[in-house]
């Protein structure tokens, strides 16, 4: 939800559907799958069909996909698709290799019809094959979503507990400036080599996250003592305090409830 809200300006409902201000950044998303431009909207299928028939849009070699979240309409999803397709006069479907893909939403508040014009490129998937791994590294998809929560507007991302570099890799992939560090010399070297493997440029240094950190637009990090290793509370608190001095906003992963630390 947070990723969708920041990238598109729309908050998804319980079915994962959001009315957005923009879908320009959907391609870089981790969890937002598709973005569509709405062509017609109506309370009944008959009215929707009439609006689609009157609309001016290209539907050469089209395919219509349906998402149904309600039992309000008596027709099946297939029947609704056929009715809308019949209204697209002069155009013929191509289900196997469509030039245009359309989305028919059957919702409690009516029917929506639009063209899919944006999809997640899922570029984070290739980072599963990074050559140097650690057992408790974040999944690339989650790391991408964390970065997308703060960018835009953030352009400089700081990860002071970078491990093998999952978060700075995702930041660099979408064109952000990545600053990273870790107190372990072995994982710092792994992070550097992983960045080199994909041709990314980032400043990665060996440093203790409790010490002064470089300034950034946002901190995005997996607290090193959170997921699989119990951590001392005072150490985590010191890391968070250091992060708060380095950037005005932060996104953190930890197995513990750190609300009181964040408030402090």
């Amino acid at each position: 939800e947070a990723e969708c809200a920041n990238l598109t300006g729309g908050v998804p409902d319980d079915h994962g559907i959001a009315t957005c201000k923009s879908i320009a950044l959907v391609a870089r998303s981790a969890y937002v799958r598709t973005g569509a431009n709405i062509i017609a909207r109506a309370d009944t299928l008959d009215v929707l069909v009439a609006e689609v028939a009157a609309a001016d849009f290209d539907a050469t070699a089209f395919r219509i996909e349906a998402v149904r979240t309600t039992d309000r309409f008596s027709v099946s999803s297939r029947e609704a698709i056929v009715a809308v397709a019949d209204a697209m006069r002069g155009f013929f479907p191509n289900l196997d290799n469509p030039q245009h893909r359309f989305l028919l939403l059957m919702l409690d508040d009516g029917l929506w019809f639009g063209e899919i014009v944006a999809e997640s490129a899922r570029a984070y998937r290739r980072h599963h094959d990074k050559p140097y791994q650690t057992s408790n590294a974040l999944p690339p998809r989650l790391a991408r979503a964390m970065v997308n929560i703060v960018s835009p507007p953030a352009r400089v991302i700081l990860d002071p507990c970078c491990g093998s570099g999952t978060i700075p890799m995702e930041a660099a992939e979408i064109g952000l400036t990545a600053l990273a560090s870790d107190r372990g010399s072995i994982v710092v070297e792994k992070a550097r080599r992983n960045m080199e493997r994909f041709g990314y440029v980032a400043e990665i240094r060996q440093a203790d996250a409790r010490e002064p950190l470089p300034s950034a637009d946002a901190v995005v990090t997996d607290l090193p003592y959170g997921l699989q290793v119990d951590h001392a509370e005072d150490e985590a608190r010191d890391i968070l305090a250091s992060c708060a001095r380095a950037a005005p906003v932060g996104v953190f992963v930890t197995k513990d409830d750190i609300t009181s630390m964040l408030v402090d």
Side-chain angles (χ1 to χ4, degrees):
E1 290 182 358
E3 181 196 40
C4 182
N6 193 55
L7 292 184
T8 73
V11 179
D13 62 17
D14 292 341
H15 302 290
I17 299 171
T19 303
C20 304
K21 296 178 180 178
S22 171
I23 54 177
L25 296 179
V26 166
R28 67 181 247 189
S29 69
Y31 293 100
V32 182
R33 293 176 55 190
T34 58
N37 287 332
I38 298 301
I39 295 172
R41 179 183 178 186
D43 289 330
T44 67
L45 181 58
D46 289 341
V47 175
L48 183 75
V49 167
E51 290 193 7
V52 170
D56 182 16
F57 59 95
D58 186 4
T60 303
F62 70 87
R63 183 175 75 196
I64 301 176
E65 302 167 20
V67 173
R68 186 186 191 116
T69 65
T70 181
D71 294 327
R72 170 186 166 187
F73 303 100
S74 58
V75 299
S76 67
S77 298
R78 183 180 182 280
E79 289 171 330
I81 288 175
V82 170
V84 173
D86 286 344
M88 298 160 67
R89 298 184 181 92
F91 299 107
F92 299 94
N94 185 332
L95 304 184
D96 296 325
N97 188 28
Q99 293 184 36
H100 297 272
R101 292 171 56 212
F102 296 93
L103 187 63
L104 174 62
L105 300 177
M106 304 177 73
L107 313 175
D108 283 330
D109 63 349
L111 298 109
W112 298 55
F113 178 75
E115 182 173 5
I116 297 173
V117 295
E119 291 187 275
S120 171
R122 301 180 181 179
Y124 56 82
R125 286 181 168 181
R126 67 193 190 112
H127 297 152
H128 286 290
D129 297 326
K130 64 183 180 182
Y132 298 93
Q133 305 277 353
T134 55
S135 61
N136 59 347
L138 284 181
R141 189 181 192 186
L142 176 58
R144 172 66 65 90
M146 292 169 64
V147 173
N148 283 337
I149 288 173
V150 296
S151 178
R155 296 293 305 169
V156 180
I157 303 297
L158 169 64
D159 181 358
C161 312
C162 70
S164 59
T166 305
I167 289 172
M169 287 171 63
E170 296 305 324
E173 164 69 28
I174 59 177
L176 306 180
T177 298
L179 308 176
S181 60
D182 201 287
R183 66 180 179 182
S185 59
I186 294 176
V187 291
V188 165
E189 185 61 25
K190 287 183 176 182
R192 288 171 177 165
R193 294 188 179 185
N194 283 334
M195 296 292 285
E196 291 172 0
R197 164 66 177 77
F198 293 98
Y200 302 140
V201 176
E203 178 186 322
I204 302 178
R205 61 192 183 97
Q206 185 177 356
D208 192 319
R210 295 169 295 179
E211 301 300 323
L213 298 169
S215 297
D217 296 329
V219 171
V220 181
T221 195
D222 174 12
L223 291 181
Y225 319 102
L227 288 178
Q228 296 188 15
V229 181
D230 290 334
H231 67 272
E233 181 175 323
D234 56 347
E235 193 164 8
R237 189 179 295 270
D238 289 342
I239 292 174
L240 291 172
S242 182
C243 291
R245 291 188 291 270
V249 63
V251 181
F252 304 94
V253 171
T254 174
K255 71 178 178 63
D256 301 309
D257 183 347
I258 60 172
T259 301
S260 63
M261 297 186 198
L262 291 173
V263 170
D264 292 342

